[in-house]
Amino acid sequence: MVIHSLEKDTPLRAGKRRPLPAGPETAVYCKARDYSADTVIPLHHHPDRHQLVYAESGVLVVRAGMGRWVVPSTRAIWMPAGTGHQVHCIGLVQMRSLYISPAAMSQPAAGPSAVSITPLLAALIRTAVTVKQPYREDSRDGRLMRLILDEMQTLPVLPLHLPEPSDKRLRMIARQLERRPDDASTLQDWAARLKVDVKTIQRLCARELGMTFGQWRQQARLLRALERLAIGEKVIDVALALGYESPSAFTTMFKRRFGLTPSQFFR
């Protein structure tokens, strides 16, 4: 089981500054990297480029700000320029990154988000890896990169995000959910352990997470399920390990949240 430490990211904690070799005349720069299992790319940021981090194969667990995203194969995460982020590779990962000049996009998303990649965009990214920099805007390569920018304007956002709290009491719960996602402790149980009123935890969840305690725990379980399913674990094993009564109960909850069954999601 993968355990992720909880970190708080602030503007002063953006990690190492990593400028790119691409000059300002290059709207899109594409780079391919392959990583072995459990590789951790330390906290860093790209000051002058937005980044689309695409997992052609494998699973990425990305931390940025006060949140964590699980990015399975054929999905991606959008990372605005200057945003500090850390990446953990689950299994063997073929990462394909697009680095985009802020001037090339009129209305980019302001914050990190997991997105679905269309078959067309996936094919364009594979081709963009071979483009030599710098390219001419009026060339085939230039038209390819413009089409990539057009496709990126319509990418649907996916519910693959788990907010992380700053309140020390909620962080105690968060650590337990990471260590033991099958923990069935109720709000009343946690209130007793933390020596607070149940309503206090409810207010903290609403204020810091934008969801109820039950929704938070369910999202934590489902994202952990994505990690385990993506590396080949069986649905029945994942369901029982995460505290579901049966594989069918897990599949029902998975489809309700992601719109697809586990087998359809990873097809």
PDB file of all heavy atoms in Angstrom, residues 33-68:
ATOM      1  N   ARG A  33       8.978  11.390 -20.884  1.00  0.00           N
ATOM      2  CA  ARG A  33       9.839  10.818 -19.859  1.00  0.00           C
ATOM      3  C   ARG A  33       9.209   9.518 -19.381  1.00  0.00           C
ATOM      4  O   ARG A  33       7.990   9.444 -19.208  1.00  0.00           O
ATOM      5  CB  ARG A  33       9.989  11.754 -18.656  1.00  0.00           C
ATOM      6  CG  ARG A  33      10.592  13.112 -18.943  1.00  0.00           C
ATOM      7  CD  ARG A  33      10.668  13.922 -17.658  1.00  0.00           C
ATOM      8  NE  ARG A  33      11.187  15.260 -17.842  1.00  0.00           N
ATOM      9  CZ  ARG A  33      10.450  16.321 -18.121  1.00  0.00           C
ATOM     10  NH1 ARG A  33       9.137  16.190 -18.280  1.00  0.00           N
ATOM     11  NH2 ARG A  33      10.990  17.512 -18.245  1.00  0.00           N
ATOM     12  N   ASP A  34      10.028   8.516 -19.146  1.00  0.00           N
ATOM     13  CA  ASP A  34       9.573   7.249 -18.579  1.00  0.00           C
ATOM     14  C   ASP A  34      10.175   7.111 -17.184  1.00  0.00           C
ATOM     15  O   ASP A  34      11.365   7.385 -16.983  1.00  0.00           O
ATOM     16  CB  ASP A  34       9.999   6.062 -19.448  1.00  0.00           C
ATOM     17  CG  ASP A  34       9.324   6.078 -20.820  1.00  0.00           C
ATOM     18  OD1 ASP A  34       8.312   6.778 -20.977  1.00  0.00           O
ATOM     19  OD2 ASP A  34       9.818   5.389 -21.727  1.00  0.00           O
ATOM     20  N   TYR A  35       9.336   6.683 -16.220  1.00  0.00           N
ATOM     21  CA  TYR A  35       9.776   6.583 -14.835  1.00  0.00           C
ATOM     22  C   TYR A  35       9.513   5.192 -14.283  1.00  0.00           C
ATOM     23  O   TYR A  35       8.491   4.566 -14.593  1.00  0.00           O
ATOM     24  CB  TYR A  35       9.042   7.604 -13.963  1.00  0.00           C
ATOM     25  CG  TYR A  35       9.377   9.042 -14.280  1.00  0.00           C
ATOM     26  CD1 TYR A  35       8.512   9.818 -15.043  1.00  0.00           C
ATOM     27  CD2 TYR A  35      10.546   9.620 -13.809  1.00  0.00           C
ATOM     28  CE1 TYR A  35       8.804  11.141 -15.337  1.00  0.00           C
ATOM     29  CE2 TYR A  35      10.854  10.949 -14.095  1.00  0.00           C
ATOM     30  CZ  TYR A  35       9.984  11.702 -14.863  1.00  0.00           C
ATOM     31  OH  TYR A  35      10.282  13.004 -15.156  1.00  0.00           O
ATOM     32  N   SER A  36      10.411   4.715 -13.446  1.00  0.00           N
ATOM     33  CA  SER A  36      10.223   3.421 -12.789  1.00  0.00           C
ATOM     34  C   SER A  36       9.229   3.559 -11.642  1.00  0.00           C
ATOM     35  O   SER A  36       8.912   4.671 -11.194  1.00  0.00           O
ATOM     36  CB  SER A  36      11.561   2.901 -12.261  1.00  0.00           C
ATOM     37  OG  SER A  36      12.142   3.826 -11.358  1.00  0.00           O
ATOM     38  N   ALA A  37       8.728   2.422 -11.180  1.00  0.00           N
ATOM     39  CA  ALA A  37       7.735   2.416 -10.102  1.00  0.00           C
ATOM     40  C   ALA A  37       8.275   3.109  -8.855  1.00  0.00           C
ATOM     41  O   ALA A  37       9.449   2.972  -8.504  1.00  0.00           O
ATOM     42  CB  ALA A  37       7.344   0.981  -9.775  1.00  0.00           C
ATOM     43  N   ASP A  38       7.387   3.854  -8.201  1.00  0.00           N
ATOM     44  CA  ASP A  38       7.672   4.553  -6.944  1.00  0.00           C
ATOM     45  C   ASP A  38       8.643   5.718  -7.084  1.00  0.00           C
ATOM     46  O   ASP A  38       9.156   6.215  -6.079  1.00  0.00           O
ATOM     47  CB  ASP A  38       8.177   3.586  -5.864  1.00  0.00           C
ATOM     48  CG  ASP A  38       7.059   2.776  -5.251  1.00  0.00           C
ATOM     49  OD1 ASP A  38       5.907   3.251  -5.281  1.00  0.00           O
ATOM     50  OD2 ASP A  38       7.316   1.668  -4.760  1.00  0.00           O
ATOM     51  N   THR A  39       8.896   6.168  -8.299  1.00  0.00           N
ATOM     52  CA  THR A  39       9.685   7.387  -8.471  1.00  0.00           C
ATOM     53  C   THR A  39       8.913   8.578  -7.910  1.00  0.00           C
ATOM     54  O   THR A  39       7.713   8.703  -8.136  1.00  0.00           O
ATOM     55  CB  THR A  39       9.988   7.645  -9.960  1.00  0.00           C
ATOM     56  OG1 THR A  39      10.792   6.576 -10.460  1.00  0.00           O
ATOM     57  CG2 THR A  39      10.741   8.959 -10.150  1.00  0.00           C
ATOM     58  N   VAL A  40       9.602   9.432  -7.178  1.00  0.00           N
ATOM     59  CA  VAL A  40       9.001  10.658  -6.666  1.00  0.00           C
ATOM     60  C   VAL A  40       9.725  11.842  -7.294  1.00  0.00           C
ATOM     61  O   VAL A  40      10.946  11.962  -7.166  1.00  0.00           O
ATOM     62  CB  VAL A  40       9.079  10.742  -5.135  1.00  0.00           C
ATOM     63  CG1 VAL A  40       8.547  12.098  -4.650  1.00  0.00           C
ATOM     64  CG2 VAL A  40       8.293   9.612  -4.493  1.00  0.00           C
ATOM     65  N   ILE A  41       8.981  12.672  -7.998  1.00  0.00           N
ATOM     66  CA  ILE A  41       9.535  13.906  -8.567  1.00  0.00           C
ATOM     67  C   ILE A  41       9.314  14.992  -7.526  1.00  0.00           C
ATOM     68  O   ILE A  41       8.176  15.329  -7.202  1.00  0.00           O
ATOM     69  CB  ILE A  41       8.831  14.261  -9.883  1.00  0.00           C
ATOM     70  CG1 ILE A  41       8.973  13.106 -10.880  1.00  0.00           C
ATOM     71  CG2 ILE A  41       9.398  15.549 -10.472  1.00  0.00           C
ATOM     72  CD1 ILE A  41       8.111  13.250 -12.113  1.00  0.00           C
ATOM     73  N   PRO A  42      10.395  15.530  -6.943  1.00  0.00           N
ATOM     74  CA  PRO A  42      10.254  16.445  -5.805  1.00  0.00           C
ATOM     75  C   PRO A  42       9.453  17.702  -6.150  1.00  0.00           C
ATOM     76  O   PRO A  42       9.281  18.060  -7.316  1.00  0.00           O
ATOM     77  CB  PRO A  42      11.710  16.802  -5.455  1.00  0.00           C
ATOM     78  CG  PRO A  42      12.540  15.733  -6.062  1.00  0.00           C
ATOM     79  CD  PRO A  42      11.808  15.290  -7.298  1.00  0.00           C
ATOM     80  N   LEU A  43       9.016  18.367  -5.105  1.00  0.00           N
ATOM     81  CA  LEU A  43       8.247  19.594  -5.248  1.00  0.00           C
ATOM     82  C   LEU A  43       9.008  20.597  -6.114  1.00  0.00           C
ATOM     83  O   LEU A  43      10.181  20.886  -5.880  1.00  0.00           O
ATOM     84  CB  LEU A  43       7.991  20.199  -3.862  1.00  0.00           C
ATOM     85  CG  LEU A  43       7.062  21.402  -3.797  1.00  0.00           C
ATOM     86  CD1 LEU A  43       5.636  20.997  -4.120  1.00  0.00           C
ATOM     87  CD2 LEU A  43       7.137  22.038  -2.407  1.00  0.00           C
ATOM     88  N   HIS A  44       8.327  21.102  -7.149  1.00  0.00           N
ATOM     89  CA  HIS A  44       8.947  22.048  -8.074  1.00  0.00           C
ATOM     90  C   HIS A  44       7.855  22.857  -8.769  1.00  0.00           C
ATOM     91  O   HIS A  44       6.669  22.569  -8.620  1.00  0.00           O
ATOM     92  CB  HIS A  44       9.793  21.304  -9.119  1.00  0.00           C
ATOM     93  CG  HIS A  44       8.968  20.477 -10.063  1.00  0.00           C
ATOM     94  ND1 HIS A  44       8.421  19.260  -9.709  1.00  0.00           N
ATOM     95  CD2 HIS A  44       8.570  20.704 -11.342  1.00  0.00           C
ATOM     96  CE1 HIS A  44       7.744  18.764 -10.729  1.00  0.00           C
ATOM     97  NE2 HIS A  44       7.806  19.623 -11.726  1.00  0.00           N
ATOM     98  N   HIS A  45       8.274  23.844  -9.544  1.00  0.00           N
ATOM     99  CA  HIS A  45       7.308  24.608 -10.340  1.00  0.00           C
ATOM    100  C   HIS A  45       7.985  25.112 -11.606  1.00  0.00           C
ATOM    101  O   HIS A  45       9.210  25.224 -11.679  1.00  0.00           O
ATOM    102  CB  HIS A  45       6.719  25.767  -9.549  1.00  0.00           C
ATOM    103  CG  HIS A  45       7.697  26.899  -9.316  1.00  0.00           C
ATOM    104  ND1 HIS A  45       8.695  26.835  -8.362  1.00  0.00           N
ATOM    105  CD2 HIS A  45       7.831  28.119  -9.909  1.00  0.00           C
ATOM    106  CE1 HIS A  45       9.400  27.952  -8.373  1.00  0.00           C
ATOM    107  NE2 HIS A  45       8.892  28.750  -9.307  1.00  0.00           N
ATOM    108  N   HIS A  46       7.154  25.391 -12.614  1.00  0.00           N
ATOM    109  CA  HIS A  46       7.620  25.961 -13.870  1.00  0.00           C
ATOM    110  C   HIS A  46       7.130  27.410 -13.912  1.00  0.00           C
ATOM    111  O   HIS A  46       5.925  27.655 -14.055  1.00  0.00           O
ATOM    112  CB  HIS A  46       7.086  25.161 -15.059  1.00  0.00           C
ATOM    113  CG  HIS A  46       7.467  23.707 -15.002  1.00  0.00           C
ATOM    114  ND1 HIS A  46       8.741  23.269 -15.282  1.00  0.00           N
ATOM    115  CD2 HIS A  46       6.751  22.608 -14.671  1.00  0.00           C
ATOM    116  CE1 HIS A  46       8.794  21.958 -15.140  1.00  0.00           C
ATOM    117  NE2 HIS A  46       7.602  21.534 -14.760  1.00  0.00           N
ATOM    118  N   PRO A  47       8.025  28.362 -13.761  1.00  0.00           N
ATOM    119  CA  PRO A  47       7.593  29.756 -13.606  1.00  0.00           C
ATOM    120  C   PRO A  47       7.001  30.378 -14.858  1.00  0.00           C
ATOM    121  O   PRO A  47       6.200  31.311 -14.762  1.00  0.00           O
ATOM    122  CB  PRO A  47       8.894  30.468 -13.209  1.00  0.00           C
ATOM    123  CG  PRO A  47       9.983  29.625 -13.808  1.00  0.00           C
ATOM    124  CD  PRO A  47       9.495  28.211 -13.709  1.00  0.00           C
ATOM    125  N   ASP A  48       7.386  29.852 -16.023  1.00  0.00           N
ATOM    126  CA  ASP A  48       7.003  30.533 -17.256  1.00  0.00           C
ATOM    127  C   ASP A  48       6.130  29.699 -18.187  1.00  0.00           C
ATOM    128  O   ASP A  48       5.882  30.097 -19.326  1.00  0.00           O
ATOM    129  CB  ASP A  48       8.264  30.966 -18.018  1.00  0.00           C
ATOM    130  CG  ASP A  48       9.232  29.798 -18.226  1.00  0.00           C
ATOM    131  OD1 ASP A  48       8.957  28.684 -17.714  1.00  0.00           O
ATOM    132  OD2 ASP A  48      10.269  29.989 -18.898  1.00  0.00           O
ATOM    133  N   ARG A  49       5.639  28.546 -17.716  1.00  0.00           N
ATOM    134  CA  ARG A  49       4.844  27.669 -18.581  1.00  0.00           C
ATOM    135  C   ARG A  49       3.743  26.976 -17.798  1.00  0.00           C
ATOM    136  O   ARG A  49       3.954  26.515 -16.670  1.00  0.00           O
ATOM    137  CB  ARG A  49       5.728  26.576 -19.190  1.00  0.00           C
ATOM    138  CG  ARG A  49       6.772  27.093 -20.160  1.00  0.00           C
ATOM    139  CD  ARG A  49       6.249  27.109 -21.564  1.00  0.00           C
ATOM    140  NE  ARG A  49       7.062  27.933 -22.445  1.00  0.00           N
ATOM    141  CZ  ARG A  49       6.981  27.914 -23.761  1.00  0.00           C
ATOM    142  NH1 ARG A  49       6.131  27.094 -24.358  1.00  0.00           N
ATOM    143  NH2 ARG A  49       7.718  28.699 -24.496  1.00  0.00           N
ATOM    144  N   HIS A  50       2.547  26.915 -18.406  1.00  0.00           N
ATOM    145  CA  HIS A  50       1.536  25.973 -17.918  1.00  0.00           C
ATOM    146  C   HIS A  50       2.002  24.568 -18.305  1.00  0.00           C
ATOM    147  O   HIS A  50       2.788  24.398 -19.248  1.00  0.00           O
ATOM    148  CB  HIS A  50       0.187  26.231 -18.585  1.00  0.00           C
ATOM    149  CG  HIS A  50      -0.360  27.604 -18.371  1.00  0.00           C
ATOM    150  ND1 HIS A  50      -0.443  28.190 -17.127  1.00  0.00           N
ATOM    151  CD2 HIS A  50      -0.878  28.511 -19.259  1.00  0.00           C
ATOM    152  CE1 HIS A  50      -0.993  29.386 -17.248  1.00  0.00           C
ATOM    153  NE2 HIS A  50      -1.258  29.617 -18.524  1.00  0.00           N
ATOM    154  N   GLN A  51       1.515  23.557 -17.588  1.00  0.00           N
ATOM    155  CA  GLN A  51       1.905  22.183 -17.904  1.00  0.00           C
ATOM    156  C   GLN A  51       0.677  21.270 -17.922  1.00  0.00           C
ATOM    157  O   GLN A  51      -0.187  21.355 -17.039  1.00  0.00           O
ATOM    158  CB  GLN A  51       2.910  21.655 -16.875  1.00  0.00           C
ATOM    159  CG  GLN A  51       3.436  20.261 -17.169  1.00  0.00           C
ATOM    160  CD  GLN A  51       4.425  19.769 -16.116  1.00  0.00           C
ATOM    161  OE1 GLN A  51       4.563  20.375 -15.053  1.00  0.00           O
ATOM    162  NE2 GLN A  51       5.105  18.680 -16.397  1.00  0.00           N
ATOM    163  N   LEU A  52       0.606  20.414 -18.934  1.00  0.00           N
ATOM    164  CA  LEU A  52      -0.365  19.328 -18.950  1.00  0.00           C
ATOM    165  C   LEU A  52       0.427  18.044 -18.770  1.00  0.00           C
ATOM    166  O   LEU A  52       1.229  17.674 -19.634  1.00  0.00           O
ATOM    167  CB  LEU A  52      -1.143  19.290 -20.265  1.00  0.00           C
ATOM    168  CG  LEU A  52      -2.260  18.230 -20.307  1.00  0.00           C
ATOM    169  CD1 LEU A  52      -3.472  18.714 -19.510  1.00  0.00           C
ATOM    170  CD2 LEU A  52      -2.668  17.903 -21.737  1.00  0.00           C
ATOM    171  N   VAL A  53       0.232  17.380 -17.632  1.00  0.00           N
ATOM    172  CA  VAL A  53       0.976  16.159 -17.311  1.00  0.00           C
ATOM    173  C   VAL A  53       0.094  14.973 -17.678  1.00  0.00           C
ATOM    174  O   VAL A  53      -0.925  14.718 -17.021  1.00  0.00           O
ATOM    175  CB  VAL A  53       1.346  16.104 -15.815  1.00  0.00           C
ATOM    176  CG1 VAL A  53       2.280  14.931 -15.537  1.00  0.00           C
ATOM    177  CG2 VAL A  53       1.987  17.404 -15.375  1.00  0.00           C
ATOM    178  N   TYR A  54       0.481  14.244 -18.705  1.00  0.00           N
ATOM    179  CA  TYR A  54      -0.337  13.167 -19.270  1.00  0.00           C
ATOM    180  C   TYR A  54       0.301  11.823 -18.970  1.00  0.00           C
ATOM    181  O   TYR A  54       1.482  11.612 -19.248  1.00  0.00           O
ATOM    182  CB  TYR A  54      -0.458  13.388 -20.781  1.00  0.00           C
ATOM    183  CG  TYR A  54      -1.062  12.243 -21.573  1.00  0.00           C
ATOM    184  CD1 TYR A  54      -2.295  11.697 -21.231  1.00  0.00           C
ATOM    185  CD2 TYR A  54      -0.393  11.716 -22.682  1.00  0.00           C
ATOM    186  CE1 TYR A  54      -2.846  10.664 -21.969  1.00  0.00           C
ATOM    187  CE2 TYR A  54      -0.946  10.683 -23.429  1.00  0.00           C
ATOM    188  CZ  TYR A  54      -2.169  10.164 -23.072  1.00  0.00           C
ATOM    189  OH  TYR A  54      -2.716   9.148 -23.806  1.00  0.00           O
ATOM    190  N   ALA A  55      -0.481  10.922 -18.384  1.00  0.00           N
ATOM    191  CA  ALA A  55      -0.005   9.575 -18.093  1.00  0.00           C
ATOM    192  C   ALA A  55      -0.423   8.651 -19.228  1.00  0.00           C
ATOM    193  O   ALA A  55      -1.550   8.151 -19.247  1.00  0.00           O
ATOM    194  CB  ALA A  55      -0.576   9.084 -16.764  1.00  0.00           C
ATOM    195  N   GLU A  56       0.479   8.434 -20.196  1.00  0.00           N
ATOM    196  CA  GLU A  56       0.144   7.524 -21.288  1.00  0.00           C
ATOM    197  C   GLU A  56      -0.013   6.099 -20.773  1.00  0.00           C
ATOM    198  O   GLU A  56      -0.822   5.322 -21.272  1.00  0.00           O
ATOM    199  CB  GLU A  56       1.216   7.586 -22.372  1.00  0.00           C
ATOM    200  CG  GLU A  56       0.810   6.877 -23.653  1.00  0.00           C
ATOM    201  CD  GLU A  56       1.722   7.208 -24.815  1.00  0.00           C
ATOM    202  OE1 GLU A  56       2.948   7.081 -24.665  1.00  0.00           O
ATOM    203  OE2 GLU A  56       1.194   7.584 -25.879  1.00  0.00           O
ATOM    204  N   SER A  57       0.759   5.765 -19.752  1.00  0.00           N
ATOM    205  CA  SER A  57       0.563   4.501 -19.028  1.00  0.00           C
ATOM    206  C   SER A  57       1.003   4.728 -17.594  1.00  0.00           C
ATOM    207  O   SER A  57       1.786   5.629 -17.302  1.00  0.00           O
ATOM    208  CB  SER A  57       1.364   3.366 -19.664  1.00  0.00           C
ATOM    209  OG  SER A  57       2.756   3.590 -19.517  1.00  0.00           O
ATOM    210  N   GLY A  58       0.489   3.896 -16.684  1.00  0.00           N
ATOM    211  CA  GLY A  58       0.808   4.056 -15.278  1.00  0.00           C
ATOM    212  C   GLY A  58      -0.133   5.017 -14.579  1.00  0.00           C
ATOM    213  O   GLY A  58      -1.124   5.482 -15.151  1.00  0.00           O
ATOM    214  N   VAL A  59       0.175   5.324 -13.326  1.00  0.00           N
ATOM    215  CA  VAL A  59      -0.668   6.198 -12.504  1.00  0.00           C
ATOM    216  C   VAL A  59       0.205   7.245 -11.834  1.00  0.00           C
ATOM    217  O   VAL A  59       1.282   6.936 -11.324  1.00  0.00           O
ATOM    218  CB  VAL A  59      -1.416   5.397 -11.418  1.00  0.00           C
ATOM    219  CG1 VAL A  59      -2.301   6.321 -10.584  1.00  0.00           C
ATOM    220  CG2 VAL A  59      -2.250   4.306 -12.032  1.00  0.00           C
ATOM    221  N   LEU A  60      -0.270   8.487 -11.824  1.00  0.00           N
ATOM    222  CA  LEU A  60       0.416   9.582 -11.153  1.00  0.00           C
ATOM    223  C   LEU A  60      -0.409  10.026  -9.952  1.00  0.00           C
ATOM    224  O   LEU A  60      -1.629  10.171 -10.053  1.00  0.00           O
ATOM    225  CB  LEU A  60       0.596  10.763 -12.093  1.00  0.00           C
ATOM    226  CG  LEU A  60       1.310  10.497 -13.420  1.00  0.00           C
ATOM    227  CD1 LEU A  60       1.260  11.740 -14.301  1.00  0.00           C
ATOM    228  CD2 LEU A  60       2.742  10.062 -13.183  1.00  0.00           C
ATOM    229  N   VAL A  61       0.246  10.225  -8.832  1.00  0.00           N
ATOM    230  CA  VAL A  61      -0.388  10.868  -7.680  1.00  0.00           C
ATOM    231  C   VAL A  61       0.285  12.222  -7.534  1.00  0.00           C
ATOM    232  O   VAL A  61       1.487  12.304  -7.295  1.00  0.00           O
ATOM    233  CB  VAL A  61      -0.228  10.036  -6.400  1.00  0.00           C
ATOM    234  CG1 VAL A  61      -0.827  10.784  -5.207  1.00  0.00           C
ATOM    235  CG2 VAL A  61      -0.896   8.674  -6.553  1.00  0.00           C
ATOM    236  N   VAL A  62      -0.488  13.269  -7.720  1.00  0.00           N
ATOM    237  CA  VAL A  62       0.047  14.626  -7.776  1.00  0.00           C
ATOM    238  C   VAL A  62      -0.462  15.426  -6.588  1.00  0.00           C
ATOM    239  O   VAL A  62      -1.668  15.452  -6.318  1.00  0.00           O
ATOM    240  CB  VAL A  62      -0.353  15.327  -9.095  1.00  0.00           C
ATOM    241  CG1 VAL A  62       0.246  16.727  -9.148  1.00  0.00           C
ATOM    242  CG2 VAL A  62       0.099  14.499 -10.299  1.00  0.00           C
ATOM    243  N   ARG A  63       0.459  16.090  -5.894  1.00  0.00           N
ATOM    244  CA  ARG A  63       0.085  16.987  -4.800  1.00  0.00           C
ATOM    245  C   ARG A  63       0.409  18.411  -5.204  1.00  0.00           C
ATOM    246  O   ARG A  63       1.496  18.703  -5.698  1.00  0.00           O
ATOM    247  CB  ARG A  63       0.847  16.638  -3.524  1.00  0.00           C
ATOM    248  CG  ARG A  63       0.388  15.354  -2.878  1.00  0.00           C
ATOM    249  CD  ARG A  63       1.075  15.127  -1.544  1.00  0.00           C
ATOM    250  NE  ARG A  63       0.645  13.894  -0.930  1.00  0.00           N
ATOM    251  CZ  ARG A  63      -0.441  13.755  -0.189  1.00  0.00           C
ATOM    252  NH1 ARG A  63      -1.225  14.793   0.014  1.00  0.00           N
ATOM    253  NH2 ARG A  63      -0.768  12.591   0.331  1.00  0.00           N
ATOM    254  N   ALA A  64      -0.555  19.285  -4.987  1.00  0.00           N
ATOM    255  CA  ALA A  64      -0.362  20.705  -5.273  1.00  0.00           C
ATOM    256  C   ALA A  64      -1.255  21.500  -4.339  1.00  0.00           C
ATOM    257  O   ALA A  64      -2.441  21.188  -4.198  1.00  0.00           O
ATOM    258  CB  ALA A  64      -0.706  21.025  -6.721  1.00  0.00           C
ATOM    259  N   GLY A  65      -0.701  22.528  -3.700  1.00  0.00           N
ATOM    260  CA  GLY A  65      -1.495  23.289  -2.754  1.00  0.00           C
ATOM    261  C   GLY A  65      -2.037  22.387  -1.664  1.00  0.00           C
ATOM    262  O   GLY A  65      -1.335  21.537  -1.136  1.00  0.00           O
ATOM    263  N   MET A  66      -3.308  22.536  -1.369  1.00  0.00           N
ATOM    264  CA  MET A  66      -3.936  21.733  -0.328  1.00  0.00           C
ATOM    265  C   MET A  66      -4.778  20.617  -0.935  1.00  0.00           C
ATOM    266  O   MET A  66      -5.906  20.371  -0.509  1.00  0.00           O
ATOM    267  CB  MET A  66      -4.802  22.633   0.561  1.00  0.00           C
ATOM    268  CG  MET A  66      -3.992  23.629   1.372  1.00  0.00           C
ATOM    269  SD  MET A  66      -2.763  22.833   2.441  1.00  0.00           S
ATOM    270  CE  MET A  66      -3.845  21.960   3.568  1.00  0.00           C
ATOM    271  N   GLY A  67      -4.246  19.935  -1.919  1.00  0.00           N
ATOM    272  CA  GLY A  67      -5.016  18.861  -2.529  1.00  0.00           C
ATOM    273  C   GLY A  67      -4.142  17.785  -3.133  1.00  0.00           C
ATOM    274  O   GLY A  67      -2.935  17.949  -3.319  1.00  0.00           O
ATOM    275  N   ARG A  68      -4.793  16.672  -3.425  1.00  0.00           N
ATOM    276  CA  ARG A  68      -4.113  15.528  -4.061  1.00  0.00           C
ATOM    277  C   ARG A  68      -4.987  15.040  -5.198  1.00  0.00           C
ATOM    278  O   ARG A  68      -6.207  14.951  -5.070  1.00  0.00           O
ATOM    279  CB  ARG A  68      -3.911  14.401  -3.036  1.00  0.00           C
ATOM    280  CG  ARG A  68      -3.319  13.133  -3.621  1.00  0.00           C
ATOM    281  CD  ARG A  68      -2.810  12.222  -2.513  1.00  0.00           C
ATOM    282  NE  ARG A  68      -3.863  11.687  -1.684  1.00  0.00           N
ATOM    283  CZ  ARG A  68      -4.464  10.508  -1.898  1.00  0.00           C
ATOM    284  NH1 ARG A  68      -4.133   9.764  -2.926  1.00  0.00           N
ATOM    285  NH2 ARG A  68      -5.400  10.079  -1.086  1.00  0.00           N
TER     286      ARG A  68
END
